[in-house]
Amino acid sequence: MDKQMMQAVNEAVAKKKFLKIQYRTDLNEFLTVTALIKKVEETGNGLKVELATGEEIPFDQLVKVGDVASNQFTSRDFTCDC
């Protein structure tokens, strides 16, 4: 489990703060939303993050929460070589 990402998610829940959340969908789309993380819960399929909008995101599909990126990515993945 990505401990740094989990810490960022738990901190967001505790502070009740709107953050930019980037994640991959089941269709491998890359989406970015600004939302409040309501809770994190364990389900039969693993951890899920529930947003205040009611949307549920599997924890392993999170890419970035605020300034904290998943350990599946490097900082270079978030730069633009335009």
Side-chain angles (χ1 to χ4, degrees):
M1 176 182 302
D2 187 342
K3 291 182 183 189
Q4 191 173 12
M5 178 67 76
M6 181 55 99
Q7 182 179 356
V9 169
N10 287 331
E11 186 176 307
V13 171
K15 289 185 176 181
K16 297 183 181 181
K17 181 178 171 185
F18 281 84
L19 298 166
K20 185 163 81 169
I21 301 165
Q22 297 176 331
Y23 64 98
R24 290 177 292 109
T25 67
D26 292 335
L27 299 174
N28 213 23
E29 301 166 302
F30 182 79
L31 298 179
T32 302
V33 296
T34 300
L36 180 97
I37 298 176
K38 186 175 175 181
K39 64 181 175 180
V40 180
E41 64 183 356
E42 181 74 37
T43 64
N45 298 332
L47 289 174
K48 285 204 177 208
V49 173
E50 183 180 342
L51 304 181
T53 60
E55 186 173 0
E56 293 183 347
I57 304 167
F59 185 82
D60 63 344
Q61 291 180 349
L62 290 173
V63 173
K64 197 170 185 183
V65 173
D67 293 330
V68 178
S70 169
N71 62 9
Q72 299 173 18
F73 300 91
T74 65
S75 60
R76 184 170 168 82
D77 292 328
F78 299 99
T79 61
C80 179
D81 293 336
C82 302

